[in-house]
């Protein structure tokens, strides 16, 4: 029966020996419950003859765990101020060890005040929301309404230890009270790479509320998909038991996880070092990819946290995902659409690597290694015998074979350049590596940063180059079907908001010749590369003779298809190309054109060329 139909909570059902319905209860009394025969086994009805080992989460286990001694996590964790924890710092030093931030200042983390209670959670989330609850003594999941859990939490008489660690509240009113740390938002794959128009639902893993009573325990685990995680203790206290993700420890973890005696073996005893980290009220802990950890709630506690994938540890993230598949982890406990986001990221990083190379920068080592690991995974998923298993998560607008081929080509080129030690000094760790939504929020900052790094020997593109690039994109769109245009629209908008836009989208055969494939006049194509252009009367006085143009090899704009905003109602109708050309040149000089990022002046940086 459904628990709500018979008036029994799901976690209570296992305790009932003989159920009495409400009618029978009048005659025979309440339901008969099972008798407890031990305090150290998940099945507390087992006879306690002392021969069976203690299982994780039981009252005896927690008592023994509190009495254990562990090396302090101070040996491995970094402690820093929130303002020091930046994307640039992590790109330079890596994100390989846990980071503790004792105060909120500088983190960009916004939370309710410490007076915020579990009753407030019910008010904002809604008491009827069904949540996952862990019966700690049995290490078993069950469902119950939030209202019933809050009633349990506020009752001093608690017959069981129930823990809530998976209440994701992004789709509730409580989401407005919480802003995740800046660093998590800036690094997050979901925040930066997940398209708004994706057919897959966006993964909600950024905002969790954790409510645990004293002695709640979560056994050793790696967060789903190898995600990194942040925890902030609003009130109460949690103790983390941390284990490094070395090759040996990961192998031991996989073996332990698949063992039938997993609950009877304390994993901390199987590794050389397990560190103890106490997270007090007001502290924020960041746990990196792959770290194996268990958590004990030493006193009633409310904490907030979130998970995020990122570019710094792509290889380890994929390794954890493959381990989950080998362990046959249920989909419920895996990162939603993990493979889909890998395809989105691969497409984005391909553009990033191309642009870095064309700008004359060497991509940082962590990014090259990450893309290589991602490429290996994508190839594996596309193998003939496995493709049907993985095809479901390939996005519609991704051409997997072409993407893999292009990524392979770029990585090969990067490695060849690395072997020649070209432009390695002063580049690694500081060149821009992310094409994210944050670039559009601070375009002047990103432009300034790129200009400082740009090699002065690199030829600066002229305004005409930028206009010609735009013209090519417009012509390309004219040849596209509507669905293709929609899929590329957002990419075009983002591309022209960038500090320096090389012609990464132009085919190789176009890079040697600035001549356009198509010539338009009054909305119709009057010339393409297969039909010689003969109507020379359409040239204006400012146009060069065809032979002179070939000899001088100068770039000339030959398009009359005007974007909105460039129209001049008083233009001479006999010279439409002249008027358009002069209008564009004027706007480029004044820095008003939406297609020119180069024209932004920065007098404070004399070493940069002013357009």
């Amino acid at each position: 029966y459904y628990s709500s139909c018979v008036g029994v909570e799901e976690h209570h059902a296992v305790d009932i020996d003989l159920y009495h319905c409400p009618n029978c209860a009048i005659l025979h009394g309440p339901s008969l419950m099972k008798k407890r025969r031990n305090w150290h086994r998940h099945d507390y009805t087992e006879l306690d003859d002392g021969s069976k080992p203690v299982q994780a989460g039981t009252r005896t286990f927690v008592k023994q765990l509190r009495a254990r001694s562990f090396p302090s996590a101070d040996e491995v964790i970094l402690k820093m101020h929130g303002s020091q924890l930046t994307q640039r710092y992590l790109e330079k030093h890596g994100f390989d060890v846990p980071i503790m931030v004792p105060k909120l200042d500088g983190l960009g983390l916004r939370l309710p005040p410490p007076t915020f209670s579990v009753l407030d959670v019910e008010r904002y989330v809604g008491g009827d929301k069904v949540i996952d609850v862990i019966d700690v003594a049995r290490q078993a999941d069950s469902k119950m309404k939030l209202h019933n859990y809050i009633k349990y939490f506020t009752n001093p008489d608690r017959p069981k230890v129930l823990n809530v660690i998976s209440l994701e509240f992004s789709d509730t009113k409580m989401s407005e009270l919480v802003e995740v740390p800046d660093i998590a938002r800036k690094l997050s794959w979901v925040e930066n790479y997940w398209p708004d128009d994706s057919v897959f639902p966006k993964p909600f893993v950024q905002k969790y509320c954790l409510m645990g009573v004293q002695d709640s325990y979560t056994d050793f685990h790696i967060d789903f998909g190898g995600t990194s995680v942040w925890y902030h203790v609003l009130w109460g206290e949690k103790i983390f038991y941390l284990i490094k993700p070395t090759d040996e420890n990961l192998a031991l973890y996989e073996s332990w996880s698949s063992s039938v005696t997993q609950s009877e073996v304390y994993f901390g005893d199987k590794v050389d070092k397990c560190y103890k980290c106490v997270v007090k009220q007001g502290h924020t802990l960041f746990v990196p990819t792959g770290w194996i950890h268990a958590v004990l709630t030493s006193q009633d506690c409310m904490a907030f946290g979130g998970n995020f994938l990122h570019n710094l540890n792509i290889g380890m993230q994929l390794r954890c995902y493959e381990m989950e598949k080998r362990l046959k982890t249920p989909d419920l406990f895996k990162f939603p659409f993990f493979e889909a986001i890998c395809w989105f990221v691969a497409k984005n990083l391909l553009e990033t690597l191309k642009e870095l190379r064309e700008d004359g920068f060497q991509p940082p080592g962590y990014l090259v290694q990450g893309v290589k690991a991602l490429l290996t995974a994508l190839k594996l998923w596309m193998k003939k015998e496995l493709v049907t298993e993985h095809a479901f998560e390939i996005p519609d607008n991704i051409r997997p074979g072409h993407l893999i081929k292009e990524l392979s080509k770029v990585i090969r080129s990067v490695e060849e350049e690395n072997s020649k030690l070209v432009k390695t000094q002063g580049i690694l760790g500081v060149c821009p590596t992310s094409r994210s939504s944050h670039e559009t929020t601070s375009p002047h900052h990103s432009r300034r940063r790129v200009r400082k790094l740009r090699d002065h020997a690199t030829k600066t593109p002229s305004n005409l180059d930028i206009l010609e690039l735009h013209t090519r994109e417009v012509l390309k769109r004219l040849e596209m079907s509507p669905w293709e245009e929609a899929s590329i629209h957002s990419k075009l908008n983002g591309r022209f908001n960038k500090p320096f836009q090389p012609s990464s989208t132009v085919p190789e055969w176009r890079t040697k010749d600035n001549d356009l494939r198509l010539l338009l006049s009054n909305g119709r194509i009057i010339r393409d590369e297969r039909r010689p252009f003969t109507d020379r009367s359409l040239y204006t006085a400012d146009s060069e003779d065809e032979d002179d143009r070939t000899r001088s090899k100068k770039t000339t704009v030959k398009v009359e298809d005007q974007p909105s905003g460039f129209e001049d109602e008083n233009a001479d109708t006999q010279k439409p190309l002249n008027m358009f050309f002069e209008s564009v040149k004027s706007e480029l000089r004044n820095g008003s054109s939406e297609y020119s990022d180069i024209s932004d002046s920065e007098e404070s940086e004399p070493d940069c060329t002013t357009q």
Side-chain angles (χ1 to χ4, degrees), residues 357-401:
R357 291 186 62 246
E358 291 174 7
D359 283 6
F361 294 124
Q362 282 297 102
Y366 76 84
L367 191 64
V368 175
Q369 294 304 315
V371 173
K372 287 176 67 176
L374 186 56
L375 183 59
T376 302
L378 299 182
K379 288 179 179 178
L380 175 67
W381 300 340
M382 291 305 297
K383 279 190 174 181
K384 186 178 293 185
E385 61 271 21
L386 298 174
V387 68
T388 52
E389 177 187 343
H390 300 277
F392 170 71
E393 289 198 31
I394 301 175
D396 290 341
N397 62 341
I398 297 286
R399 295 162 56 195

Side-chain angles (χ1 to χ4, degrees), residues 440-457:
T440 58
T441 59
S442 56
H444 297 291
H445 173 73
S446 60
R447 291 172 192 152
R448 187 174 298 113
R449 183 172 62 169
V450 172
R451 285 199 183 94
K452 287 180 180 178
L453 293 170
R454 188 175 301 154
D455 187 348
H456 294 284

Side-chain angles (χ1 to χ4, degrees), residues 131-149:
I131 61 174
D132 291 299
V133 176
I134 299 175
D135 182 344
V136 174
R138 293 175 50 242
Q139 289 291 286
D141 291 309
S142 62
K143 304 276 188 184
M144 68 187 300
K145 288 187 176 181
L146 178 59
H147 170 75
N148 292 332
Y149 181 77

